[in-house]
Amino acid sequence: MKKVRTRSLQWILVRRLILLQAATLLIFIVLCAAALWIANPRLLIDNEAAVAAVKDAVDRDEDGRLIVRETEELAAFRKGFPNVWYIVRDRSGESVRSGTIPDVYTKNFGDLLGEADHATIGFSDKDMRPEAYIENAATKAGTVQIVAATQSSRQQTDGLEINISATVEVVRNPDGSRNWERALPAIAIVIAILLLPIILVMGTTTLVTTPAVVRRSFAGLVDTVRQAARIDIGTRAMQLPVKQVPQEIAPLVHAFNEALARLAQGYDRHNRFLTDAAHELRTPIAILRTRAELLKQEPQSARLLHDIERLSHLAQQLLDYQLLDRPSDQRQIVDLRDLVSRVAADFAPLAIEAGYDLAFEPSPDNGHVEVNVLQIERALANLVRNAIEHGGGCGTITIAIDGSGGIEVRDEGPGIPPEERENVFEPFYRLQPQSRGAGLGLNLARQIALLHDGTIRILTGSWPGARIRMELPVRS
């Protein structure tokens, strides 16, 4: 089955933010262009503003002579620009002048400037003469030529002067109307040239900053994921923290915590049921054993006793499974040799009764382990009982330990086929369906070993019988 590839939230955000920024910028420019198109504004610089103020003040007196009245607008402009000067000429050559006018502007500008609607007159950067604005304007006194500026010399600039001008001229038809069919491609190219650097800068910034922002925003979620990865059957009651989780993810974490709580409750109910059932079985099994022992010694009564023993052993193993829920704080440091010797002494009568010799081979070195003693005793008991039940009823059962925390239980029976050496650790799995065992002993032993960060495996070799080795971490 092909593994589904999940999408990265980080790169989804990066792509969408870049597209959103580009779309927002484009819409903003379109709206600005539409507003300018509708309003058709004219932006005036200082010199143009001076001409506009003078133009509204041009008039003629009672004798028909050209004059410039001191209107409120012109007076206000003079207050803001005290160095303003201007020249007003009509078609007859009559003129009105005001302010300190540079000599160059007192000359006749010729026919070209006389016919031009408006123009800006400027000089080189090293020339101290100021720029001026000239316009042929329609006034109350008729059409006049107005030349004006806000300063008589560049030395009058207030420290720094910035002039920004932009002229957009659209190609025209012979009748003077604009030819948009030819102009639109050029406008599109200009807009692309202007937008592309901005989009690249914004996109690069987003590409660099968004992953860092996402990682920082989801840092609490990463810690929650790490804690979720540590949840197992022994920590099923754990609840994931939501304090550092983003608000959008918090409902998912809450739902996961509720699911964990429901699973823990169901598991506990299941365990209680098994425990109660096992306890309830022990009483009738004890009664059956007592009554079977009173029967005459016949083959049928012997088989009945074996079956009752099998039931008793199954009930005990079900109770043993409750040991898996013991908390880790109940562990203690013990000498492995003392622990194993007690189990060997307990099972010696049972092994001898079943026809075996029981040997105990201690390690010359003291190996100390930190374990739950009751759990390890039950695991070792299941290994020894397994050897008694499947060892062939003869030979020697050996319990050996070494200084590395290893415990081996050896028998001289038929052994375990190589292809079955993993299956026998599964619950309720038996090599021989008619055997007395319930198929839980090896599974329980493996789970107890795993709880202690240990291992359990079946050794391979040329010796007769089976050798099962359990290894526990030795405390240094």
Side-chain angles (χ1 to χ4, degrees), residues 42 48 50-60 66 87-91 113-119 133-147:
R42 185 182 180 193
E48 294 180 46
V51 171
V54 174
K55 179 171 61 174
D56 293 336
V58 174
D59 202 352
R60 292 189 183 275
L66 190 65
I87 302 173
V88 181
R89 295 189 183 94
D90 62 10
R91 294 186 182 277
L113 290 181
E115 295 179 2
D117 179 75
H118 60 274
Y133 186 72
I134 182 171
E135 180 179 342
N136 288 322
T139 66
K140 296 177 182 179
T143 301
V144 297
Q145 185 184 68
I146 304 174
V147 182

Side-chain angles (χ1 to χ4, degrees), residues 211-227 241 243-246 249:
V213 172
V214 171
R215 283 194 299 270
R216 184 171 182 180
S217 301
F218 287 162
L221 181 61
V222 172
D223 293 337
T224 301
V225 171
R226 292 196 185 102
Q227 294 191 38
K243 184 177 180 181
Q244 301 297 330
V245 174
I249 309 296

